[in-house]
Amino acid sequence: MDPKHLDNVSHTVLFKGIDIKDIPHVLDCLDYKIAHFEKNDYIVKINSPFKGVFILLEGEMAIIRENYNGNRVVVNLFEIGDICGEALAFCGTEMWPASVLALADCTLMIVHPEKILNMCSRACTFHKIILANMIRVVAKKACDLNKKVEYLSLRSINGKLSKYLLEQKERSGSLSFKLPLNREMLADYLNISRPSMSRELCRMRDNGIIEFKRESITIKDEDRLKALLEE
């Protein structure tokens, strides 16, 4: 494996607790393969056969759903080191229930689910660690899903935007931060139209609640931003 990819693999949750020097040994048990995709490529499309768990080594990708009119909803976003498809491995699903899209040029490590779930013939300690880490990944995704449901429960665009901005503030630890998504992807993620979202952002700016320049945001009045959650 490319040393750069090996370093990225070592920082994933799946390999937490395993020394980087031992990872090549673990990879021999997992029988992985490396795949590359260009920006806007479909890594898999909905109802494609499920053949493996994805570990993102380079780039960005997203799980998306599209309706018959071509409108897109971003279900989940993935950055370097993230794992995609782990829940499908546990539930035995044979088809992808949604599409996976490359948001930038991507490099993935693909591991067959049976290689993760079934103990290798050597019954190595590392495999037990990986299986425990896999359970933690599934649990975290369940928490992320609950967060997504919270967005859907908010009735107003202001409420959805304010919740997202407050979460990014907590994540960055600062009132000034850069959004991880561009305007189009953010609108898809929040399941709102981009023009409506842009109007609300401008209204927040004009009311002195936030300042922004492209994807850079500064919260000027956190109390008023929190009040929008109730609208």
Side-chain angles (χ1 to χ4, degrees):
M1 174 179 281
D2 186 308
K4 179 173 63 174
H5 294 162
L6 181 61
D7 184 63
N8 288 339
V9 166
S10 71
H11 288 91
T12 65
V13 176
L14 191 61
F15 290 88
K16 184 177 181 180
I18 300 177
D19 193 285
I20 190 170
K21 65 180 174 58
D22 295 316
I23 289 179
H25 167 79
V26 182
L27 293 179
D28 287 341
C29 296
L30 295 180
D31 190 25
Y32 71 95
K33 68 177 182 178
I34 301 294
H36 304 278
F37 298 89
E38 295 184 355
K39 182 178 179 180
N40 294 325
D41 280 350
Y42 280 94
I43 296 170
V44 292
K45 288 191 174 183
I46 187 171
N47 294 326
S48 298
F50 177 67
K51 296 182 178 179
V53 175
F54 301 151
I55 301 175
L56 185 59
L57 303 180
E58 292 180 333
E60 296 175 281
M61 63 183 185
I63 293 178
I64 65 169
R65 285 186 176 275
E66 295 172 307
N67 62 22
Y68 291 111
N69 296 323
N71 295 321
R72 177 186 299 169
V73 175
V74 176
V75 178
N76 209 346
L77 299 163
F78 299 86
E79 300 176 343
I80 293 174
D82 287 344
I83 302 169
C84 176
E86 69 293 329
L88 302 182
F90 273 104
C91 69
T93 300
E94 297 183 355
M95 299 291 182
W96 281 90
S99 300
V100 182
L101 181 71
L103 303 181
D105 292 351
C106 289
T107 300
L108 308 178
M109 183 169 78
I110 304 175
V111 182
H112 193 280
E114 293 302 320
K115 294 293 184 177
I116 297 176
L117 301 180
N118 296 332
M119 194 67 66
C120 63
S121 58
R122 289 173 284 185
C124 63
T125 303
F126 302 127
H127 207 125
K128 295 178 183 177
I129 295 174
I130 284 181
L131 189 55
N133 287 339
M134 189 74 159
I135 294 172
R136 293 188 183 96
V137 172
V138 173
K140 182 181 182 302
K141 290 295 176 66
C143 294
D144 291 342
L145 180 59
N146 287 335
K147 185 180 295 184
K148 185 73 173 180
V149 171
E150 289 179 16
Y151 280 115
L152 295 176
S153 68
L154 293 169
R155 291 173 294 179
S156 70
I157 296 174
N158 268 342
K160 293 180 179 182
L161 278 172
S162 59
K163 180 173 176 59
Y164 183 81
L165 294 178
L166 290 167
E167 284 182 353
Q168 296 307 310
K169 174 253 182 183
E170 291 298 325
R171 183 177 179 182
S172 67
S174 171
L175 291 171
S176 296
F177 48 86
K178 187 172 182 179
L179 296 176
L181 305 174
N182 61 33
R183 295 286 183 89
E184 181 178 0
M185 293 305 301
L186 179 56
D188 287 344
Y189 182 71
L190 297 178
N191 196 22
I192 56 182
S193 73
R194 182 176 175 179
S196 297
M197 184 189 73
S198 294
R199 283 195 299 271
E200 293 305 323
L201 285 172
C202 289
R203 187 172 290 122
M204 289 181 184
R205 179 197 59 196
D206 295 343
N207 289 334
I209 299 174
I210 64 170
E211 286 183 355
F212 63 82
K213 183 177 182 181
R214 295 184 181 178
E215 276 72 55
S216 295
I217 299 282
T218 297
I219 297 175
K220 305 296 291 183
D221 193 330
E222 186 173 356
D223 289 338
R224 291 176 67 191
L225 188 62
K226 289 178 178 178
L228 295 177
L229 289 171
E230 305 301 324
E231 291 189 358

